[in-house]
Amino acid sequence: MFVIFGAAGPVGRASATALRRAGHPVRAVVRDRTQGAALAALGCDIAHADLNDAQALARAIDGAHAVQWLCPVPRAHDDPAAAMRATIDAGIAAFHKAPPPSLLALSDYGAEQPEGTGITTLFHYLETRLRGAASSLTFLRAAEHMHNWARVLPVALERGVLPSLHHPLDKLFPTVAARDVGELAAQLLLDGATQRPHATPRIVSVEAAQRVSALDVARTLQELSGRPVAAHAVPRNEWNAVLHGAGLGERHARLIVDLYDAHNAGRIDVEGVSERRFGATTLKDELAALLPRAAGVETRARSVE
């Protein structure tokens, strides 16, 4: 039995789908009962669990021979770092109560660094706490997800300006599609389920075959939409205001600011000891998939005005 946490999200859903297509039994763990229908249609067993309830998590992984764990950053929480650390601690308690033979944890580029990387420091905490929690342990570190651009696509389509916190605009950075992360995770789960126990975690990094810049994102969006789109580097002193305007609280905004400061200083990248894998999805593929929804958001926004 493969147990997938975060199965309703794009990464977990891709993992569950790949495993079910290969004929493997999957238990999909979701927080909201309404999220289970599509996964049940794939043939998944559905488990509901509060991610902060160690007992519920232990029940969800009972009998598993491999577990995929995703610990989400709680966007709406006043103190997302404290909330995520509490969720990580609950997961650790569950894994010690019902140790899975094989465990894959979804992590981030830069997770080897203990400080100064904003949100990524939470994945350092996750990796540090997880060591020793399973006989076979894999950290799958993903580059920045391409679908993060969905948040600003309606603005870019309406105003012709793509705001970016990546500075300078021509700086290349790694990205990856969520489905590529999920499908690779499924492959690694299958590997881990057949591997012998080992003392040190396996570290795998995944990104798309080509790195991109904010200029590349704007050019690709212009090509796909047929509308003029220019990349705009949001001035550093305006970042907090922009993030607050997007609905982020003070502490969450601070985590994002620190993350992009680290990105722009070249501190977020592949650790030399990791295995490198590359996803097949291109930036153009991902933006083409995101555009219809972004155009719909833009249309609805105009109708309200």
Side-chain angles (χ1 to χ4, degrees), residues 144-234:
E144 179 178 312
H145 283 197
M146 294 176 185
H147 69 241
N148 288 350
W149 289 101
R151 302 166 187 166
V152 296
L153 289 188
V155 172
L157 293 174
E158 180 182 1
R159 303 177 186 175
V161 175
L162 181 78
S164 174
L165 303 188
H166 283 288
H167 293 179
L169 292 175
D170 62 354
K171 176 179 67 68
L172 297 177
F173 53 90
T175 63
V176 69
R179 62 180 170 274
D180 289 341
V181 179
E183 290 173 0
L184 174 57
Q187 295 174 22
L188 296 174
L189 281 173
L190 292 169
D191 290 347
T194 59
Q195 286 177 348
R196 294 180 178 179
H198 46 83
T200 58
R202 181 183 186 185
I203 302 174
V204 182
S205 300
V206 59
E207 63 180 86
Q210 288 189 317
R211 295 192 169 192
V212 299
S213 68
L215 293 176
D216 293 325
V217 178
R219 280 194 290 263
T220 305
L221 183 57
Q222 178 171 294
E223 176 187 346
L224 289 169
S225 68
R227 305 185 191 187
V229 179
H232 168 65
V234 179

Side-chain angles (χ1 to χ4, degrees), residues 22-285:
H24 298 288
V26 173
R27 180 179 299 146
V29 184
V30 296
R31 290 176 288 175
D32 186 335
R33 293 182 181 276
T34 63
Q35 298 172 325
L39 294 160
L42 291 174
C44 296
D45 173 45
I46 307 300
H48 304 97
D50 180 341
L51 297 184
N52 289 318
D53 184 341
Q55 297 292 334
L57 298 181
R59 288 193 296 271
I61 64 176
D62 184 46
H65 63 271
V67 173
Q68 178 173 311
W69 192 36
L70 181 150
C71 188
V73 179
R75 177 184 174 91
H77 200 279
D78 289 341
D79 191 346
M84 184 168 169
R85 283 193 291 267
T87 301
I88 291 169
D89 291 343
I92 299 301
F95 297 138
H96 283 295
K97 183 176 179 63
S102 179
L103 173 63
L104 180 144
L106 295 157
S107 188
D108 264 9
Y109 272 30
E112 73 278 5
Q113 302 184 55
E115 58 185 17
T117 57
I119 281 178
T120 301
T121 60
L122 299 172
F123 291 95
H124 177 82
Y125 181 79
L126 178 148
E127 290 192 10
T128 301
R129 293 282 284 122
L130 271 180
R131 292 174 187 268
S135 299
S136 174
L137 177 61
T138 299
F139 296 133
L140 177 53
R141 295 177 182 167
E144 179 178 312
H145 283 197
M146 294 176 185
H147 69 241
N148 288 350
W149 289 101
R151 302 166 187 166
V152 296
L153 289 188
V155 172
L157 293 174
E158 180 182 1
R159 303 177 186 175
V161 175
L162 181 78
S164 174
L165 303 188
H166 283 288
H167 293 179
L169 292 175
D170 62 354
K171 176 179 67 68
L172 297 177
F173 53 90
T175 63
V176 69
R179 62 180 170 274
D180 289 341
V181 179
E183 290 173 0
L184 174 57
Q187 295 174 22
L188 296 174
L189 281 173
L190 292 169
D191 290 347
T194 59
Q195 286 177 348
R196 294 180 178 179
H198 46 83
T200 58
R202 181 183 186 185
I203 302 174
V204 182
S205 300
V206 59
E207 63 180 86
Q210 288 189 317
R211 295 192 169 192
V212 299
S213 68
L215 293 176
D216 293 325
V217 178
R219 280 194 290 263
T220 305
L221 183 57
Q222 178 171 294
E223 176 187 346
L224 289 169
S225 68
R227 305 185 191 187
V229 179
H232 168 65
V234 179
R236 174 64 174 72
N237 62 0
E238 296 178 10
W239 287 6
N240 274 302
V242 168
L243 293 168
H244 292 158
L248 272 62
E250 182 63 37
R251 289 188 177 96
H252 198 162
R254 182 74 258 166
L255 292 173
I256 298 294
V257 168
D258 289 348
L259 172 65
Y260 278 91
D261 277 342
H263 257 300
N264 295 337
R267 295 183 57 216
I268 304 292
D269 213 320
V270 178
E271 186 182 16
V273 300
S274 72
E275 303 172 34
R276 298 194 68 183
R277 303 292 181 88
F278 298 93
T281 305
T282 66
L283 175 69
K284 186 174 183 179
D285 294 334

